Amino acid sequence: MPEFLKLMPPDEATKMFFDHIPPARPRTENIPTVQALGRVLAGPIVAPETLPAFSRSTVDGFAVRAPDTFGASDALPIYLDLVGEVPMGAKPGFSIEPNHAAIIHTGGMLPEGADAVVMMEYTQMARANEVELMRAAAVGENIIKAGEDVLEGQEVLAGGTRLRPAQIGGLLALGITEVTVSIPPRFGILSSGDEVIPPEQRPKIGQVRDTNSYSLSALIEQNGGQAVRYGISPDNPEALRSMVEKALAENDAVVITAGSSASTRDLTSKIINELGKPGVLVHGVNVRPGKPTILGVCDGKPTIGLPGNPVSALVIAGLFVRPVVRYLAGMPAGEPRAFVPARLSLNVSTPDGRESWVPVRLIAGENGYAAEPIFFKSNLIFTLATADGLIKIPAAANGLAAGEDVRVYLI
Amino acid sequence: MPEFLKLMPPDEATKMFFDHIPPARPRTENIPTVQALGRVLAGPIVAPETLPAFSRSTVDGFAVRAPDTFGASDALPIYLDLVGEVPMGAKPGFSIEPNHAAIIHTGGMLPEGADAVVMMEYTQMARANEVELMRAAAVGENIIKAGEDVLEGQEVLAGGTRLRPAQIGGLLALGITEVTVSIPPRFGILSSGDEVIPPEQRPKIGQVRDTNSYSLSALIEQNGGQAVRYGISPDNPEALRSMVEKALAENDAVVITAGSSASTRDLTSKIINELGKPGVLVHGVNVRPGKPTILGVCDGKPTIGLPGNPVSALVIAGLFVRPVVRYLAGMPAGEPRAFVPARLSLNVSTPDGRESWVPVRLIAGENGYAAEPIFFKSNLIFTLATADGLIKIPAAANGLAAGEDVRVYLI
C-alpha cells in the first residue's frame, strides 16, 4: 500500500495544506444590509457618523443639572421648577437653567444644560410647576452621551466578519443600508465510481445512490460557500481527468468524493498531480474515520479527495473542507468552537493510536447529558444522520472509558 | 410603577407563556430534498427500501467463505482458488464455493456463498489462479450486510428534525428526492416610537434609526421563521392598535419592539389585552437586561412586546422569541445548547438578585479562552455587535468573580 507509507497527523496535514493555499482574495459584491445575514464583510466597516448623535435619556424621568439634586432623599426632598417636557423625536425648545427640571422620556434628547436624569419613581409633582426629587443623580446618570456608542471614523466591524443579527442592526443604526461582502467561494464537486448512480434513479443490484456530493454541498453552503455539482464520473482515468480539469477551471476549489478503493484513490491522486502544481500534498491522514484523504493544491486551487464512505466523507469535510470554505470566503482562522459537555456512557476503544472522531447521541439526564457512542462502520449512511455530534479521541489515548467527560461538537 | 409589581423569573415566564400557546400545526409544503437544508420535517420519514440493498465489501480484498480461512497466518498461509473479480456496480456472475475466492473492491457486491472479505494487504497471488491468505477472516468481517444501515419500514428521521447535511445525504440514499417540510412560521414585526425613523433616512436631531426590527428579523430567519416587517408606528394608540391588529391577522405570531418608556409599554400591553384572549400573561421579567418584557397570547397567537433597547431586545428575543419560532416551526423543545467554556477575566457584580446576561468577548490564551465582560448600557447598539457571546449569571448569585469558569453561548 505505497500511498499509506506515511500517514500524517491531522494538525500537520492542515498546516501543510494551508501553507500551500495562496492568500484568499474573494470576489465581492454590494448587497442590501437587510439581506446580508450570514454573509462575510469584504473589508472593515468604519462608522460614517457618531452614534448616538445626541445625548439621550435611558429612563423616564426628569432632566436636571446634577449638582441641583445633591443631597436629595426621602426625608429631605429637593424641589425644582418644571420648565417643560422634552418631545420625542425632536429638539427640546428650551434649556435647563440652575434649579430647573424637565419631563423626559426614554430615548428623549437631553436638553442643553442638563447632565443627568432622575428616574420617575423617585419623584412626585409637588405643585403644577414644581417637581419633588427624593433621590440625587450623579453627573451622567441615566443618560447615554453623544458618541458613547460609536464615534465617526471608528472601525466598528472587522473585514471577514460573518454577519449576525446584532451586526445587521448595528450597520443599519449607522445608516449603512448596503454592504460589500465576499461572493461565496465556488466549490466544484465530483463523485466517481462505476457503481454510483444519481439519487433519483432506482439502483440495480450492485449499485448505490450518490449521497456524498449532496451532503457535502449542504456542508459547504452551511459554511458560506457555493457548491457546484459536476455529477458522477465512471472509474475511468480520461473521464475523471476531464471532469476535474473542467471543475478546476470553473471554481475556486474542487472536492472529489472518490470511491474508496485503493485504485480509485491512486487515480484521484495521479490526476491531482497532473492538473497543477504542487499537486498532492498529503495522501493519507492519521485519523479515523477518513484515513484515505487526499489534500492537494492545483495552481493555487485547493483540491481535496474525500474518502467514499459517507461517515468518513463528512468527518473529513468537517476537518478540511470547512476551514477551506471559510478561508476562501475571507473569514479569519481560529474561531471558537462551541460544544456540549457530556459524560461518555460506554467505553470506546481506539487501540491503534490514531485520532478518532466518534459519533454520539446526547441523552439528557438529571446531571447533564450522557454521550452514547454510536458504534459505526463508516459505510453506514444513517450513523451520522442519527447522531447529535462527534467526540474526538486524541491519538495519544487508547480510547476513553465510560464515565469520562467528553466534549460533543454538534453536527 | 404598577406594571412591575410582579417581576416573573424567566423560567416561570417561559412556562406561563408556552402553557397558553396552542399545539403547533405548521402549514407544510413539498420541496426537493437537495434544497431542504435547515428546513423542518413535517412528519417522520419511514425508509421506503432497505439499505444497503445488497451485502457489500468495505475494503479491497478477496471475498471468501470465512471457515476456509481459519488458521491462516504468515507462517502458515492458506491457498484458495481464484474464481473471478466482482465487477463494480453489477451483480457478480459467479458464486463462491468452498475453497474459492474472488477479487472484490470496496463497495463491490458480495458474491453468493461468500460471508467475509480478507484485506488485500494480507494476501498475495501465489499462482495465476490461486491466492495466498496470511490472515483469517471471521464471518461478517469487512462486509456490510444488506439492511445493516436501514430496514424498509424503519423510521429513520423524526418529524420536527431540522435537516442537516448528513440527513440530506441519508434521505437521498433512500431515493427520497422530495420531502414534506413545515412552511416557516410568519412573524409580524412592528416598531413604535415617535422618534424612530427607517434606517435609510438621515435622523434629524432627536431621532434614531429603527434597528431592532431588522436584527430581530435576522434572528427569526436564523431560527427557521419568516419575518414580515410592518414598519414604524407613531406613539399613538389608534395607529399602533390597527397595525398590531393587521399583523395578528396576517401572521402566526407578532413581535412589537416598542419604545422603552413606561407609557409605550402600557400602551402595548393595553392593545395586546384588547386584541385577543387571554392577552398579556407576563408583564415584567426578572432578568437583566430586558425587565420590561411583555409576553402574551392573542386568540392562540403568541404576541411579544420587546424592550426598545437594542441589547435588551436581542437578549430577550433569544430567551423568548427563538423558542417560539422553533415551536411554531414544529421543532421539539429542549435541544442541547453548545457553549465555549472560558475563564472570566473581570469581576461582574449583579447585586439585585436578578438573572443577568452579560455580553463578553472571547480572548484566546494558552490555557483556553478568557471571557472579557463588556460593561454595557443596554442602549448601546454595538455592545452585542462586538461581543462573541453571552454569559448567564443566575439570580441567586450576586455576580461572578474574575477567574471563575463560565459558559459562553455564542451569538
Side-chain angles (χ1 to χ4, degrees):
Chain A
M1 308 275 95
E3 84 272 34
F4 287 141
L5 281 179
K6 186 169 153 269
L7 288 181
M8 209 180 269
D11 290 353
E12 214 174 291
T14 301
K15 186 171 181 330
M16 165 77 96
F17 186 33
F18 273 84
D19 279 353
H20 288 84
I21 303 175
R25 284 201 193 73
R27 292 173 300 282
T28 64
E29 63 181 329
N30 294 337
I31 60 167
T33 305
V34 295
Q35 290 163 21
L37 180 67
R39 298 297 296 270
V40 179
L41 287 178
I45 298 286
V46 170
E49 51 188 74
T50 288
L51 205 67
F54 55 91
S55 298
R56 289 188 294 164
S57 177
T58 62
V59 296
D60 297 328
F62 288 87
V64 296
R65 290 170 174 259
D68 290 350
T69 69
F70 290 171
S73 68
D74 288 328
L76 280 172
I78 277 172
Y79 297 84
L80 299 178
D81 293 342
L82 185 62
V83 296
E85 176 172 350
V86 175
M88 288 308 288
K91 197 172 170 157
F94 51 84
S95 62
I96 300 294
E97 307 298 330
N99 294 314
H100 281 182
I103 298 176
I104 192 165
H105 305 279
T106 306
M109 179 177 178
L110 205 68
E112 194 86 18
D115 55 13
V117 175
V118 178
M119 284 177 81
M120 197 61 83
E121 37 267 71
Y122 305 126
T123 67
Q124 60 185 0
M125 290 308 295
R127 275 182 287 274
N129 292 317
E130 203 174 50
V131 58
E132 183 181 335
L133 310 180
M134 274 78 80
R135 203 66 76 89
V139 173
E141 194 168 331
N142 296 323
I143 64 170
I144 163 176
K145 283 197 203 124
E148 198 173 332
D149 203 341
V150 170
L151 290 173
E152 185 185 332
Q154 183 184 338
E155 182 182 313
V156 287
L157 293 174
T161 300
R162 194 170 188 197
L163 293 170
R164 304 184 316 240
Q167 297 165 336
I168 302 283
L171 290 167
L172 292 170
L174 290 167
I176 301 171
T177 54
E178 199 180 81
V179 281
T180 307
V181 293
S182 63
I183 294 175
R186 289 168 61 95
F187 279 68
I189 297 175
L190 295 77
S191 291
S192 80
D194 289 332
E195 77 282 21
V196 182
I197 59 161
E200 62 275 15
Q201 288 181 20
R202 193 165 181 86
K204 296 198 199 95
I205 194 89
Q207 298 181 322
V208 292
R209 295 193 180 92
D210 178 24
T211 61
N212 282 348
S213 43
Y214 298 91
S215 50
L216 185 63
S217 296
L219 179 135
I220 287 168
E221 279 157 22
Q222 216 175 29
N223 285 288
Q226 189 190 344
V228 184
R229 284 187 297 272
Y230 284 80
I232 302 158
S233 162
D235 278 331
N236 157 333
E238 292 70 40
L240 184 57
R241 191 184 194 286
S242 77
M243 271 176 70
V244 178
E245 193 166 19
K246 182 171 155 68
L248 273 169
E250 295 174 354
N251 294 277
D252 302 303
V254 169
V255 184
I256 307 155
T257 64
S260 290
S261 72
S263 60
T264 316
R265 290 195 303 264
D266 287 343
L267 175 58
T268 305
S269 169
K270 184 164 171 283
I271 289 172
I272 294 176
N273 275 329
E274 281 168 10
L275 288 177
K277 292 288 160 206
V280 174
L281 298 159
V282 177
H283 190 159
V285 179
N286 201 20
V287 63
R288 165 204 304 270
K291 184 175 72 165
T293 297
I294 301 171
L295 304 175
V297 173
C298 292
D299 297 339
K301 295 186 176 178
T303 309
I304 299 176
L306 288 186
N309 286 332
V311 179
S312 315
L314 270 180
V315 168
I316 291 300
L319 288 178
F320 299 109
V321 178
R322 181 180 184 281
V324 174
V325 175
R326 296 174 55 89
Y327 181 76
L328 295 183
M331 286 182 252
E335 99 277 27
R337 293 292 299 270
F339 59 82
V340 176
R343 212 154 266 235
L344 197 61
S345 69
L346 294 166
N347 295 332
V348 181
S349 138
T350 53
D352 55 2
R354 198 186 292 169
E355 177 179 310
S356 297
W357 290 85
V358 177
V360 298
R361 272 186 212 102
L362 284 168
I363 321 259
E366 272 184 29
N367 301 308
Y369 285 99
E372 183 183 86
I374 302 177
F375 290 104
F376 69 106
K377 296 179 176 175
S378 46
N379 319 57
L380 298 185
I381 290 165
F382 276 89
T383 303
L384 275 188
T386 57
D388 291 308
L390 292 165
I391 60 171
K392 174 183 168 175
I393 303 182
N398 282 321
L400 291 174
E404 286 198 67
D405 290 329
V406 290
R407 303 176 160 200
V408 179
Y409 296 93
L410 300 179
I411 50 173
Chain B
M1 305 279 97
E3 84 271 31
F4 290 140
L5 281 179
K6 184 168 155 269
L7 288 181
M8 211 181 270
D11 289 351
E12 214 174 293
T14 301
K15 185 173 182 325
M16 165 77 96
F17 186 34
F18 274 84
D19 279 353
H20 288 84
I21 304 175
R25 285 202 192 74
R27 292 174 298 284
T28 64
E29 61 180 333
N30 294 338
I31 62 168
T33 305
V34 296
Q35 289 162 22
L37 180 67
R39 299 296 297 272
V40 178
L41 287 177
I45 298 285
V46 170
E49 50 188 76
T50 289
L51 204 67
F54 54 92
S55 298
R56 288 190 294 164
S57 179
T58 63
V59 296
D60 297 328
F62 289 86
V64 295
R65 289 170 174 258
D68 290 348
T69 70
F70 289 171
S73 68
D74 287 327
L76 279 173
I78 276 173
Y79 298 84
L80 299 178
D81 293 340
L82 184 63
V83 296
E85 176 172 349
V86 175
M88 290 307 288
K91 196 172 169 158
F94 50 83
S95 63
I96 300 292
E97 306 299 328
N99 295 312
H100 281 184
I103 298 177
I104 192 164
H105 305 279
T106 306
M109 178 177 177
L110 204 69
E112 192 87 17
D115 56 13
V117 174
V118 178
M119 284 177 82
M120 196 61 82
E121 38 267 71
Y122 304 127
T123 66
Q124 61 184 358
M125 291 308 293
R127 275 182 287 272
N129 292 317
E130 202 175 51
V131 57
E132 184 181 334
L133 309 179
M134 274 78 79
R135 204 63 76 89
V139 172
E141 195 168 330
N142 297 322
I143 66 171
I144 164 176
K145 282 196 204 129
E148 198 172 335
D149 203 340
V150 171
L151 290 173
E152 185 184 331
Q154 184 185 337
E155 182 181 314
V156 287
L157 294 173
T161 300
R162 194 169 189 201
L163 293 170
R164 306 185 316 241
Q167 296 164 338
I168 302 283
L171 290 166
L172 292 170
L174 290 167
I176 300 170
T177 54
E178 200 180 81
V179 282
T180 307
V181 293
S182 63
I183 293 174
R186 288 167 62 97
F187 279 68
I189 298 174
L190 293 78
S191 291
S192 80
D194 288 333
E195 77 282 20
V196 182
I197 59 161
E200 60 277 12
Q201 287 180 22
R202 194 168 178 84
K204 296 198 200 94
I205 195 86
Q207 298 182 321
V208 291
R209 295 194 180 92
D210 178 26
T211 62
N212 282 349
S213 44
Y214 298 91
S215 50
L216 185 64
S217 296
L219 180 135
I220 287 168
E221 281 159 20
Q222 217 174 30
N223 286 288
Q226 188 189 345
V228 183
R229 285 187 297 272
Y230 284 81
I232 303 158
S233 161
D235 278 330
N236 158 332
E238 292 70 37
L240 185 58
R241 190 187 194 284
S242 79
M243 270 176 73
V244 177
E245 193 167 18
K246 181 170 156 67
L248 273 169
E250 296 174 353
N251 295 277
D252 302 303
V254 169
V255 184
I256 307 155
T257 64
S260 289
S261 73
S263 60
T264 315
R265 289 195 303 265
D266 286 343
L267 175 57
T268 305
S269 169
K270 184 164 171 284
I271 289 173
I272 293 176
N273 276 330
E274 280 169 11
L275 288 177
K277 293 286 158 207
V280 173
L281 298 159
V282 177
H283 191 161
V285 178
N286 200 19
V287 63
R288 167 204 302 270
K291 185 176 70 165
T293 297
I294 301 170
L295 304 175
V297 172
C298 292
D299 297 338
K301 295 185 177 180
T303 308
I304 299 176
L306 288 187
N309 287 332
V311 179
S312 316
L314 270 179
V315 167
I316 291 301
L319 288 179
F320 298 109
V321 178
R322 181 180 182 282
V324 175
V325 177
R326 295 175 53 89
Y327 181 75
L328 294 183
M331 287 181 254
E335 99 277 27
R337 294 294 298 269
F339 59 82
V340 176
R343 212 155 268 237
L344 197 62
S345 68
L346 295 164
N347 295 334
V348 181
S349 134
T350 53
D352 54 3
R354 199 185 292 168
E355 176 178 309
S356 297
W357 291 85
V358 177
V360 297
R361 273 186 211 101
L362 283 169
I363 321 260
E366 273 184 30
N367 302 310
Y369 285 97
E372 184 183 85
I374 302 177
F375 289 104
F376 69 105
K377 296 182 175 171
S378 45
N379 319 55
L380 298 185
I381 290 166
F382 276 89
T383 303
L384 275 189
T386 58
D388 292 308
L390 294 165
I391 61 172
K392 173 181 169 176
I393 303 182
N398 282 323
L400 291 174
E404 285 198 68
D405 290 328
V406 291
R407 301 176 161 199
V408 179
Y409 296 92
L410 300 179
I411 50 173

